[in-house]
Amino acid sequence: MTENQKPRPDGRAADELREIVIEPGWSKQAEGSALISFGGTKVLCTASVMPKVPRWLMGSGKGWVTAEYSMLPRSTNERMDRESVKGRIGGRTHEISRLIGRSLRAVVDLKALGEISITVDCDVLQADGGTRTASITGAYVALVQAIEWAKEQKRIPASAKPLIDSVAAVSVGIVGGQPVLDLPYVEDSAADTDMNVVVTGRGLFVEVQGTAEEAPFDKRELDQLLELAVGGCATLSQKQSEALSA
Amino acid sequence: MTENQKPRPDGRAADELREIVIEPGWSKQAEGSALISFGGTKVLCTASVMPKVPRWLMGSGKGWVTAEYSMLPRSTNERMDRESVKGRIGGRTHEISRLIGRSLRAVVDLKALGEISITVDCDVLQADGGTRTASITGAYVALVQAIEWAKEQKRIPASAKPLIDSVAAVSVGIVGGQPVLDLPYVEDSAADTDMNVVVTGRGLFVEVQGTAEEAPFDKRELDQLLELAVGGCATLSQKQSEALSA
Amino acid sequence: MTENQKPRPDGRAADELREIVIEPGWSKQAEGSALISFGGTKVLCTASVMPKVPRWLMGSGKGWVTAEYSMLPRSTNERMDRESVKGRIGGRTHEISRLIGRSLRAVVDLKALGEISITVDCDVLQADGGTRTASITGAYVALVQAIEWAKEQKRIPASAKPLIDSVAAVSVGIVGGQPVLDLPYVEDSAADTDMNVVVTGRGLFVEVQGTAEEAPFDKRELDQLLELAVGGCATLSQKQSEALSA
Amino acid sequence: MTENQKPRPDGRAADELREIVIEPGWSKQAEGSALISFGGTKVLCTASVMPKVPRWLMGSGKGWVTAEYSMLPRSTNERMDRESVKGRIGGRTHEISRLIGRSLRAVVDLKALGEISITVDCDVLQADGGTRTASITGAYVALVQAIEWAKEQKRIPASAKPLIDSVAAVSVGIVGGQPVLDLPYVEDSAADTDMNVVVTGRGLFVEVQGTAEEAPFDKRELDQLLELAVGGCATLSQKQSEALSA
Amino acid sequence: MTENQKPRPDGRAADELREIVIEPGWSKQAEGSALISFGGTKVLCTASVMPKVPRWLMGSGKGWVTAEYSMLPRSTNERMDRESVKGRIGGRTHEISRLIGRSLRAVVDLKALGEISITVDCDVLQADGGTRTASITGAYVALVQAIEWAKEQKRIPASAKPLIDSVAAVSVGIVGGQPVLDLPYVEDSAADTDMNVVVTGRGLFVEVQGTAEEAPFDKRELDQLLELAVGGCATLSQKQSEALSA
Amino acid sequence: MTENQKPRPDGRAADELREIVIEPGWSKQAEGSALISFGGTKVLCTASVMPKVPRWLMGSGKGWVTAEYSMLPRSTNERMDRESVKGRIGGRTHEISRLIGRSLRAVVDLKALGEISITVDCDVLQADGGTRTASITGAYVALVQAIEWAKEQKRIPASAKPLIDSVAAVSVGIVGGQPVLDLPYVEDSAADTDMNVVVTGRGLFVEVQGTAEEAPFDKRELDQLLELAVGGCATLSQKQSEALSA
């Protein structure tokens, strides 16, 4: 932090993550699960293995990994109507579900999975910014457990290696002119630019989604944000390893 | 337990509840909340206060209390499709939401509440039988907190007494010929008769919903079940008091 | 009726049913049917036999019985929007459809039925309280006719006995402190407690659904209501027999 | 009937209506009603008066008349799924509802009605061909009663004359080369050309909807069909008058 | 035009069509297509061939032809909400889709088509009255191309003759007392009577849909309108031939 | 193009756009419109001005700009079901509608717009890759026209400057190891990485959405793609100016 920068609302350094807690195996019902917290954001991720694939993959020998994201109605500061009550899923929900699914598939060898499907549900119990990045990071942990379960159950050959890398995600943004890592709601709603970055354990990009909320951004700002994100994801990747080996 | 009765799968006595845990104030966002467990059944109950009432009550001086029940897709042993994805709410979900709402309203003086609404969301994180009775029992705790919050915020006059009693609920059933209290999934699915009973702190009935799943039942069996339920609710009522005074 | 009890709006004794009329075979199209009246409440019940079962029963050798309840938009005092126009079925409709289906299945031996389905539609043409209990009582008559039709058509073996008992239902409630039988709308909307009781021809309980609308109730009141209901259902059971043997 | 014409399945002459029965005031709840039968086709028509108009007419001084048509699931030979269960209204239902509404509005002076709405529900209890024409014919009777009720209730000035004519409808078609009146299902499904004609009491056309089901038709056939329809509607108009003056 | 008749808003004679432009093969993706203009009304018609039929035709040896009509949200003077956003298709859309489908099937020998389906989508890009008649007229052109494609692809035997006639449609109406052909929006909204007529190349009627918008009409007016329509369709039929042979 | 690079399927250079055609004012009905082609991709963009804002902006003095994207059912190689028929909007449609809206708002000063709304509909008539980027580029042209219209109509003060920059978008991707600009469907479906970039006339980023379809990408590849995109958008920006000044 340079001298003339304003401190962040929670006192963190610009490149510092919130407190990250990962509780693997939280659910007794699911084949894989993790309750993950990025500060006040809490997401329950559960992975379900099903012995069939979508129609377009039948007979292909390939498996499928997908995700569904949802927020509890009172995960937010003001209660939202349930999408089941409204009878339709909102655009934002669809968009995030698709993002999580793509991010997971980027590190899975679908051929090695064989013809099974894994659905990872990411239900936000409490929301304080970064729910999609916490979901991706927790979903990976649930996915690893589900794949291990499938190997134990001999649904995947013991020799198969469906996971080709790990994956984590973090938000970055420009707030008050300063690039910062892992924005809580109070920073997120004040950001000029907001970016969600999905990075593999090896440091490669899976998704880069940058949006100018208030002011378009230039290449230098983009580079600063990407650097912060890569650093944050490296730490998250380390947390995932620790949780899974615990 | 008479001598020739078979032991229950989890070794409990016929009139014994599962382990009951109530964590009040679990949510940082809601005006009232409780994470409640009846053994392996875990329900997150959050109460939201809104400064308006449904149209038919506008100008009546009366408030409203309602509830919405939902299960996470992987709260169960096999993953269920989300109702938001299906685009419609199932009959069972509607029925339980209505039951929870009626049970709460039975102990609330809506006139004393004034023209505000309280919605209690009961989201089942893990299901092992008795999700509706755990929801009612936890929802009451969240409701009490929300009413206290509304008093602190002067949305309800300090002198108002909107709560006229407390309320809790438990399932009872006849399994293998024996009346038992608080059925987990394994007993529930084998029961001849299944009954959900909602009882106030003073021991009065709010709802009695008995269903012959396999065999119609007679008056003597009904009386045995009601006696078990009244005893169980008295214990739950005590747990609610302890949680709220903690 | 004790001396100090107020007379009922329609002059009936507390334990007296409204005029019950059952017209079996009202529909020329359905395999079974009955137009049933409980006073001003009129329900058209039609039973349809289909040569297949829901997916989860295929190959089980068992049949299925289900019901759908609906109110015509102007069956009530004020016109309601159609659920088909609203695009979704309300909670109350779902709940009653499920109740009718369970009540019928309680007296059917699904194995003896074989792999056929019977759907009983209960469409309320005119509503004046007790629409769900009239529906159950009329649906049984339509069901019996449909089973007879299926035997004639040799869809069920002549020797099979799919009906193990008969079933009828009636509402009871506490109005102005007095337990009364078979409530019309004017009493129903003023009741402290409202109970729907489904009883077999042999006098066993299939469903007991008591709800404290205004004031929770005690065991003595519950017993009084159940006694009224058992008496009312015995009379209804007699009316069903007469209609079917006509 | 010329010598070489085949007799109709029910023995009627080519220009003969089925038995027409109109029971006005069938419903105790609605402001106007009629149970109408065209042979085996039975439709319950109820008219509801509401003291408001659709948004686009507010402040115009004009009223509105609309209709909703629906078939009970087992009004037909094979049970149909309910549109409320499917969650959407089919094209045919929409089309017929719109036709009935237009037909009624053709004989109503909306200015004389004043800013009230009348909705006529036409629910087919039993279907044997001609359900839309029976609906229009019965809906007119219910509408007349509802307008009389509104005058008695002083919702319409006593001096107002909202009805400028009467309206009835009938189906005609070419079956086996022969133009015939009022087709039951068995003829309707075998017709080469099917036409629904809506005619006022004065003999003017409101709707002419002719459809070549199997073979396109020429001007001479069209003229024959229209002549049959005008004759049939004159008889129906007479039946309406008798029913309303009874 | 008699001497005392008022000129039409666009100066046309009463029996004159608007400028008709047909661009066959507009789409590079569809098996058949046409962009058709009736003056300011522009409809894109695309025909899609699919190697399967609806369930009720499977194994019958017959094919199927169907149509879907839709308006772009800003094809009209005021933007309409999309039906996909509203989540349901309006009655008018359903009705017109069904009309187009029936009109096309009237000139197709479904047996000669064999078990394939052709869906013709008619999307209104710009609306100025007569969208349904332009749709039918353009849909026929797209259908002919699709059938030719299917023959080239050997999905239909080269010797088969699935087209038994051609089909076109036009609107006619009585505006200011005068029968006129092919009404633009400004005339359509002022018409006393509005009629859509579908006529084959041989001059036979497929559909006659006349509606009294303001005033019921008599037989003489009906005859005048039909004569105008038959003349207009003959011209349209000629334009279709020219477009297809270009 | 280095020597060992494979030529693109349509022979373009890696940094070359497809043929871009913009027809401003295509629609006679809308306040602004453009038919835009990126090669075989054709999108009709229409802008509608409405004198009201969404509820959350009422009284704020700010306007709103939003967009809706949709594909005609046969814009693609295989016919898709309409979302209106399915009764729900898919995730991809939602996501792209939101992207277009955000992109337009990034160059609009909502305060200067005043309390009016502009909805830009982007309907894909023919799809060959890059439909979302063509939509954004064409939507900007329609938006400019609509704002000019609003100024002429004095709905926006003549002195107001609601447009603070222009905006265009293009797809880039890595195909066969080579970064390429403006991918048609055949390249898009074979790309390892796919990125949509939205750039203002001044060269600033509004959105950067990069997705690893097959293989995660590194920072060097990201930089190459961004450079291609910035160049492509500069050309598109020039085409927009020419179209608007024509």
Side-chain angles (χ1 to χ4, degrees):
Chain A
M1 189 162 73
T2 65
E3 304 224 341
N4 53 3
Q5 279 171 351
K6 280 204 292 187
R8 298 177 71 178
D10 52 11
R12 275 185 290 146
D15 62 353
E16 192 181 344
L17 292 168
R18 289 180 283 177
E19 187 187 15
I20 307 299
V21 181
I22 305 177
E23 295 179 54
W26 191 89
S27 161
K28 302 303 167 236
Q29 315 275 32
E31 282 80 61
S33 66
L35 180 64
I36 190 166
S37 310
F38 277 30
T41 289
K42 297 185 182 190
V43 185
L44 177 56
C45 307
T46 55
S48 301
V49 178
M50 279 156 294
K52 61 175 183 185
V53 287
R55 190 169 308 181
W56 80 90
L57 283 175
M58 285 180 189
S60 69
K62 283 189 186 176
W64 191 241
V65 175
T66 187
E68 289 187 10
Y69 167 95
S70 184
M71 299 180 84
L72 290 199
R74 194 55 201 278
S75 59
T76 45
N77 241 313
E78 306 229 340
R79 186 177 185 276
M80 306 176 300
D81 284 342
R82 287 174 192 269
E83 294 185 323
S84 59
V85 168
K86 289 191 284 186
R88 52 175 70 191
I89 292 178
R92 182 183 171 276
T93 297
H94 265 305
E95 198 170 321
I96 298 178
S97 294
R98 287 157 52 90
L99 170 64
I100 301 170
R102 283 199 309 271
S103 298
L104 296 176
R105 287 192 298 274
V107 296
V108 174
D109 177 352
L110 295 173
K111 267 235 128 81
L113 205 58
E115 283 202 23
I116 64 170
S117 291
I118 301 178
T119 299
V120 185
D121 288 286
C122 298
D123 285 273
V124 179
L125 306 187
Q126 203 170 271
D128 185 22
T131 60
R132 81 188 70 189
T133 53
S135 293
I136 292 167
T137 308
Y140 172 74
V141 174
L143 177 66
V144 172
Q145 290 192 333
I147 288 173
E148 281 168 10
W149 178 90
K151 286 193 168 186
E152 283 162 21
Q153 298 288 318
K154 309 219 189 292
R155 309 237 183 147
I156 302 178
S159 61
K161 295 202 184 312
L163 285 166
I164 54 188
D165 203 341
S166 71
V167 69
V170 78
S171 72
V172 286
I174 298 177
V175 182
Q178 183 190 4
V180 290
L181 178 69
D182 188 20
L183 289 68
Y185 178 74
V186 67
E187 286 185 334
D188 190 49
S189 56
D192 291 324
T193 291
D194 178 33
M195 190 174 293
N196 293 290
V197 186
V198 184
V199 183
T200 71
R202 290 178 192 155
L204 296 170
F205 297 106
V206 169
E207 290 268 343
V208 173
Q209 295 199 339
T211 298
E213 296 288 344
E214 282 297 311
F217 52 95
D218 63 21
K219 185 62 168 51
R220 194 185 52 86
E221 289 168 319
L222 178 57
D223 287 340
Q224 288 176 319
L225 291 172
L226 290 171
E227 196 184 327
L228 275 180
V230 167
C233 285
T235 305
L236 290 169
S237 177
Q238 180 62 26
K239 298 271 185 191
Q240 288 172 325
S241 293
E242 288 165 17
L244 283 163
S245 61
Chain B
M1 191 163 73
T2 63
E3 303 224 343
N4 52 2
Q5 279 170 352
K6 279 203 294 189
R8 299 177 70 180
D10 50 12
R12 277 186 288 147
D15 62 353
E16 192 181 342
L17 293 168
R18 289 179 284 179
E19 188 187 14
I20 308 298
V21 181
I22 306 177
E23 295 179 53
W26 192 89
S27 161
K28 302 304 168 235
Q29 313 277 30
E31 283 79 61
S33 67
L35 180 62
I36 190 166
S37 311
F38 277 30
T41 289
K42 297 184 182 192
V43 185
L44 177 55
C45 306
T46 56
S48 300
V49 178
M50 279 155 294
K52 62 175 183 184
V53 286
R55 191 171 304 180
W56 80 89
L57 283 175
M58 284 181 189
S60 69
K62 284 189 185 174
W64 190 241
V65 175
T66 188
E68 288 186 11
Y69 167 95
S70 186
M71 298 179 87
L72 291 198
R74 194 54 202 279
S75 58
T76 44
N77 239 315
E78 305 230 339
R79 186 177 185 274
M80 304 176 302
D81 284 343
R82 287 174 191 270
E83 294 185 323
S84 59
V85 168
K86 288 191 285 185
R88 53 175 68 191
I89 290 179
R92 182 183 171 277
T93 298
H94 265 305
E95 197 170 322
I96 298 179
S97 294
R98 287 157 52 91
L99 169 65
I100 302 170
R102 282 199 311 270
S103 298
L104 296 176
R105 287 193 298 276
V107 296
V108 173
D109 177 352
L110 296 173
K111 267 235 128 78
L113 203 60
E115 283 202 22
I116 64 170
S117 293
I118 302 179
T119 300
V120 185
D121 288 286
C122 298
D123 286 272
V124 178
L125 305 187
Q126 203 169 272
D128 185 21
T131 60
R132 78 187 72 189
T133 53
S135 293
I136 292 168
T137 307
Y140 171 74
V141 173
L143 176 67
V144 171
Q145 290 192 333
I147 288 174
E148 281 167 10
W149 177 90
K151 285 192 168 186
E152 281 162 23
Q153 298 288 319
K154 309 218 188 295
R155 309 238 181 145
I156 301 177
S159 62
K161 296 203 182 313
L163 284 167
I164 54 187
D165 203 340
S166 70
V167 68
V170 78
S171 70
V172 285
I174 298 176
V175 182
Q178 182 190 8
V180 290
L181 178 69
D182 188 20
L183 290 66
Y185 177 74
V186 65
E187 286 184 333
D188 192 48
S189 55
D192 291 324
T193 292
D194 177 34
M195 190 174 293
N196 292 290
V197 186
V198 184
V199 183
T200 72
R202 290 180 192 153
L204 296 170
F205 296 105
V206 169
E207 291 268 344
V208 174
Q209 295 198 339
T211 297
E213 296 289 344
E214 282 297 311
F217 51 96
D218 62 22
K219 184 64 169 50
R220 193 184 53 87
E221 289 168 319
L222 178 58
D223 287 339
Q224 288 176 319
L225 291 172
L226 290 171
E227 196 184 325
L228 275 180
V230 168
C233 285
T235 306
L236 290 169
S237 178
Q238 179 62 24
K239 298 271 185 190
Q240 289 173 324
S241 293
E242 288 166 17
L244 284 163
S245 62
Chain C
M1 189 162 74
T2 65
E3 305 223 340
N4 52 3
Q5 278 172 353
K6 280 203 293 189
R8 297 177 71 177
D10 50 12
R12 275 186 290 146
D15 61 354
E16 192 181 343
L17 292 168
R18 290 180 283 179
E19 189 187 14
I20 308 298
V21 182
I22 305 177
E23 295 180 53
W26 191 89
S27 160
K28 302 304 166 235
Q29 315 276 31
E31 282 80 62
S33 66
L35 180 63
I36 190 166
S37 309
F38 278 29
T41 289
K42 297 185 183 190
V43 185
L44 178 55
C45 306
T46 55
S48 302
V49 178
M50 279 156 293
K52 61 176 180 182
V53 287
R55 189 169 308 180
W56 79 92
L57 282 175
M58 285 179 187
S60 69
K62 284 188 184 177
W64 189 240
V65 175
T66 187
E68 287 188 13
Y69 167 96
S70 185
M71 299 179 86
L72 291 199
R74 194 55 201 279
S75 58
T76 44
N77 240 314
E78 307 229 338
R79 185 178 185 276
M80 306 176 300
D81 284 342
R82 285 174 194 270
E83 294 185 324
S84 59
V85 168
K86 288 192 284 186
R88 54 174 71 190
I89 291 178
R92 181 182 170 278
T93 297
H94 265 305
E95 197 170 321
I96 298 178
S97 294
R98 288 156 53 89
L99 169 64
I100 302 169
R102 282 199 310 271
S103 298
L104 296 176
R105 288 192 298 275
V107 296
V108 174
D109 176 353
L110 297 173
K111 269 233 125 83
L113 204 59
E115 284 203 22
I116 65 170
S117 292
I118 302 179
T119 299
V120 185
D121 287 286
C122 298
D123 286 272
V124 179
L125 305 186
Q126 203 169 271
D128 185 23
T131 60
R132 80 188 69 188
T133 53
S135 294
I136 291 167
T137 307
Y140 172 74
V141 174
L143 176 67
V144 172
Q145 290 192 333
I147 287 173
E148 282 167 9
W149 178 91
K151 285 192 169 187
E152 282 162 22
Q153 298 288 317
K154 310 221 189 290
R155 310 239 182 145
I156 302 178
S159 61
K161 296 203 183 312
L163 285 167
I164 52 187
D165 203 341
S166 71
V167 69
V170 77
S171 71
V172 285
I174 298 176
V175 182
Q178 183 190 6
V180 291
L181 177 70
D182 188 18
L183 289 68
Y185 177 74
V186 66
E187 286 184 334
D188 190 49
S189 55
D192 291 323
T193 291
D194 178 33
M195 189 173 293
N196 292 291
V197 186
V198 184
V199 182
T200 72
R202 291 178 193 157
L204 296 171
F205 296 107
V206 169
E207 290 269 342
V208 174
Q209 295 199 338
T211 297
E213 294 289 344
E214 282 298 311
F217 51 94
D218 62 22
K219 185 62 168 51
R220 193 184 53 87
E221 290 168 318
L222 178 57
D223 286 340
Q224 288 176 318
L225 292 172
L226 290 171
E227 196 184 326
L228 276 179
V230 167
C233 285
T235 306
L236 291 168
S237 177
Q238 179 63 24
K239 298 269 185 192
Q240 290 172 325
S241 292
E242 289 165 17
L244 283 163
S245 62
Chain D
M1 191 163 73
T2 64
E3 304 223 341
N4 52 3
Q5 280 172 350
K6 279 203 295 188
R8 299 178 70 180
D10 50 13
R12 276 185 290 146
D15 61 354
E16 192 180 344
L17 292 169
R18 289 180 283 178
E19 187 188 15
I20 308 297
V21 182
I22 306 178
E23 296 179 54
W26 192 89
S27 160
K28 303 305 168 234
Q29 314 277 30
E31 283 80 61
S33 67
L35 180 63
I36 190 166
S37 309
F38 277 32
T41 289
K42 298 186 182 191
V43 184
L44 177 55
C45 306
T46 55
S48 301
V49 177
M50 279 156 293
K52 61 176 184 184
V53 287
R55 191 171 305 180
W56 79 90
L57 283 174
M58 284 180 188
S60 69
K62 284 189 185 174
W64 190 240
V65 175
T66 188
E68 287 187 11
Y69 166 95
S70 186
M71 298 179 87
L72 291 199
R74 193 55 201 277
S75 58
T76 44
N77 239 316
E78 304 231 339
R79 185 177 185 274
M80 305 176 301
D81 284 342
R82 288 173 190 271
E83 294 185 323
S84 59
V85 168
K86 288 191 284 187
R88 55 176 67 192
I89 291 178
R92 181 181 170 278
T93 297
H94 265 305
E95 198 169 321
I96 298 178
S97 294
R98 288 157 53 92
L99 169 64
I100 302 169
R102 282 199 311 269
S103 298
L104 296 176
R105 288 193 297 275
V107 296
V108 174
D109 177 353
L110 297 173
K111 267 236 128 80
L113 204 59
E115 283 202 21
I116 64 169
S117 293
I118 301 179
T119 300
V120 185
D121 287 287
C122 298
D123 285 273
V124 179
L125 305 187
Q126 203 169 271
D128 185 21
T131 61
R132 80 188 71 190
T133 53
S135 294
I136 291 168
T137 307
Y140 171 74
V141 174
L143 176 67
V144 172
Q145 289 192 333
I147 288 174
E148 281 168 10
W149 178 90
K151 285 192 169 186
E152 282 162 22
Q153 299 287 318
K154 310 222 188 291
R155 309 234 183 149
I156 301 178
S159 61
K161 296 204 183 311
L163 284 166
I164 53 188
D165 203 342
S166 71
V167 69
V170 78
S171 70
V172 285
I174 298 176
V175 182
Q178 182 191 6
V180 290
L181 178 69
D182 189 21
L183 290 66
Y185 178 75
V186 66
E187 287 184 332
D188 191 48
S189 56
D192 291 325
T193 290
D194 177 33
M195 190 174 294
N196 292 291
V197 186
V198 185
V199 183
T200 72
R202 292 179 191 153
L204 296 170
F205 296 106
V206 170
E207 291 269 342
V208 174
Q209 295 198 339
T211 297
E213 296 289 344
E214 282 297 313
F217 51 96
D218 62 22
K219 184 65 169 50
R220 193 183 53 86
E221 289 168 318
L222 178 57
D223 286 341
Q224 288 176 319
L225 291 173
L226 290 171
E227 196 184 326
L228 274 181
V230 168
C233 285
T235 306
L236 290 169
S237 178
Q238 180 63 25
K239 298 270 185 191
Q240 289 173 324
S241 293
E242 289 165 16
L244 283 163
S245 62
Chain E
M1 189 162 74
T2 65
E3 303 225 340
N4 52 4
Q5 279 173 351
K6 281 203 293 188
R8 298 178 71 177
D10 52 12
R12 276 186 289 146
D15 61 353
E16 192 181 343
L17 292 168
R18 290 179 282 179
E19 189 188 14
I20 308 298
V21 182
I22 305 177
E23 295 180 54
W26 191 91
S27 161
K28 303 303 168 236
Q29 315 276 31
E31 282 81 60
S33 67
L35 180 62
I36 191 166
S37 308
F38 277 30
T41 289
K42 296 185 182 190
V43 185
L44 177 55
C45 307
T46 54
S48 301
V49 178
M50 280 155 294
K52 61 174 182 185
V53 287
R55 190 170 307 181
W56 80 90
L57 283 175
M58 284 182 189
S60 69
K62 284 189 184 176
W64 190 241
V65 175
T66 188
E68 289 187 11
Y69 167 95
S70 185
M71 300 179 85
L72 290 199
R74 193 55 200 278
S75 59
T76 45
N77 242 312
E78 306 229 340
R79 185 179 186 274
M80 305 176 301
D81 284 342
R82 287 173 192 271
E83 294 185 323
S84 59
V85 168
K86 289 193 283 186
R88 54 174 71 189
I89 291 178
R92 181 183 171 277
T93 298
H94 266 305
E95 198 170 321
I96 298 177
S97 294
R98 287 156 52 89
L99 169 64
I100 302 168
R102 281 198 312 269
S103 298
L104 296 175
R105 286 192 299 274
V107 297
V108 173
D109 176 352
L110 297 174
K111 268 234 126 82
L113 203 58
E115 285 202 21
I116 64 170
S117 292
I118 302 179
T119 299
V120 185
D121 288 286
C122 298
D123 286 272
V124 179
L125 306 186
Q126 203 169 270
D128 185 21
T131 60
R132 80 188 71 188
T133 53
S135 293
I136 291 167
T137 308
Y140 171 74
V141 174
L143 176 66
V144 172
Q145 290 192 333
I147 287 173
E148 282 168 9
W149 177 91
K151 286 192 169 186
E152 283 162 22
Q153 298 289 318
K154 310 221 189 292
R155 309 237 183 148
I156 301 177
S159 61
K161 296 202 183 312
L163 285 166
I164 54 187
D165 203 340
S166 72
V167 69
V170 78
S171 69
V172 285
I174 299 176
V175 182
Q178 183 190 5
V180 291
L181 178 69
D182 189 19
L183 290 67
Y185 178 74
V186 67
E187 286 185 333
D188 189 50
S189 55
D192 291 324
T193 291
D194 178 34
M195 190 173 294
N196 292 292
V197 187
V198 184
V199 183
T200 71
R202 293 178 191 155
L204 296 170
F205 297 106
V206 170
E207 290 268 341
V208 173
Q209 296 198 338
T211 297
E213 296 289 344
E214 283 297 312
F217 52 95
D218 62 21
K219 184 62 169 50
R220 194 185 51 87
E221 290 168 319
L222 178 58
D223 286 340
Q224 289 176 319
L225 291 173
L226 290 171
E227 196 185 327
L228 275 180
V230 168
C233 285
T235 306
L236 290 169
S237 177
Q238 179 63 26
K239 298 270 184 190
Q240 289 173 326
S241 292
E242 289 166 15
L244 283 163
S245 62
Chain F
M1 189 163 74
T2 63
E3 304 225 340
N4 52 2
Q5 280 171 350
K6 281 204 293 188
R8 299 178 70 178
D10 50 12
R12 277 185 288 147
D15 61 353
E16 193 181 341
L17 292 168
R18 289 179 283 178
E19 187 187 14
I20 308 297
V21 181
I22 306 177
E23 295 179 54
W26 191 90
S27 160
K28 302 304 169 235
Q29 314 276 31
E31 283 81 59
S33 66
L35 180 62
I36 191 165
S37 309
F38 277 30
T41 289
K42 297 185 181 191
V43 185
L44 177 56
C45 307
T46 56
S48 301
V49 177
M50 279 155 295
K52 62 175 183 184
V53 286
R55 191 170 305 180
W56 79 90
L57 283 175
M58 285 181 187
S60 69
K62 285 189 185 175
W64 189 241
V65 175
T66 187
E68 288 186 12
Y69 167 95
S70 185
M71 299 179 87
L72 291 199
R74 194 55 202 277
S75 58
T76 43
N77 241 315
E78 306 230 339
R79 185 177 185 275
M80 305 177 301
D81 284 342
R82 288 174 190 270
E83 294 185 324
S84 60
V85 168
K86 288 191 285 186
R88 54 176 68 191
I89 292 178
R92 181 182 170 278
T93 298
H94 264 304
E95 196 170 322
I96 298 177
S97 293
R98 287 157 52 90
L99 169 65
I100 301 169
R102 282 199 311 270
S103 297
L104 296 175
R105 288 193 297 276
V107 296
V108 173
D109 177 352
L110 296 173
K111 266 234 128 78
L113 203 60
E115 284 201 21
I116 64 170
S117 292
I118 302 177
T119 300
V120 185
D121 287 288
C122 298
D123 286 273
V124 179
L125 306 186
Q126 203 169 271
D128 185 22
T131 61
R132 78 189 72 188
T133 53
S135 293
I136 292 168
T137 306
Y140 172 75
V141 174
L143 176 67
V144 171
Q145 289 193 332
I147 287 173
E148 281 168 9
W149 177 91
K151 285 192 169 186
E152 281 162 22
Q153 298 287 319
K154 310 220 189 292
R155 310 240 181 143
I156 302 177
S159 61
K161 296 203 182 313
L163 284 167
I164 53 188
D165 204 341
S166 72
V167 69
V170 78
S171 71
V172 285
I174 299 176
V175 182
Q178 183 191 6
V180 291
L181 178 69
D182 189 20
L183 289 66
Y185 177 74
V186 66
E187 286 184 333
D188 190 48
S189 55
D192 291 323
T193 291
D194 177 33
M195 191 173 293
N196 292 290
V197 186
V198 184
V199 183
T200 73
R202 291 178 193 154
L204 296 170
F205 297 106
V206 169
E207 291 268 344
V208 174
Q209 296 197 338
T211 297
E213 297 289 345
E214 282 297 312
F217 51 95
D218 63 22
K219 185 61 169 50
R220 193 183 53 86
E221 290 168 318
L222 178 58
D223 285 341
Q224 288 176 319
L225 291 173
L226 289 171
E227 196 184 325
L228 275 180
V230 168
C233 285
T235 306
L236 290 169
S237 176
Q238 180 61 26
K239 299 271 185 190
Q240 288 172 324
S241 293
E242 289 166 15
L244 283 163
S245 63

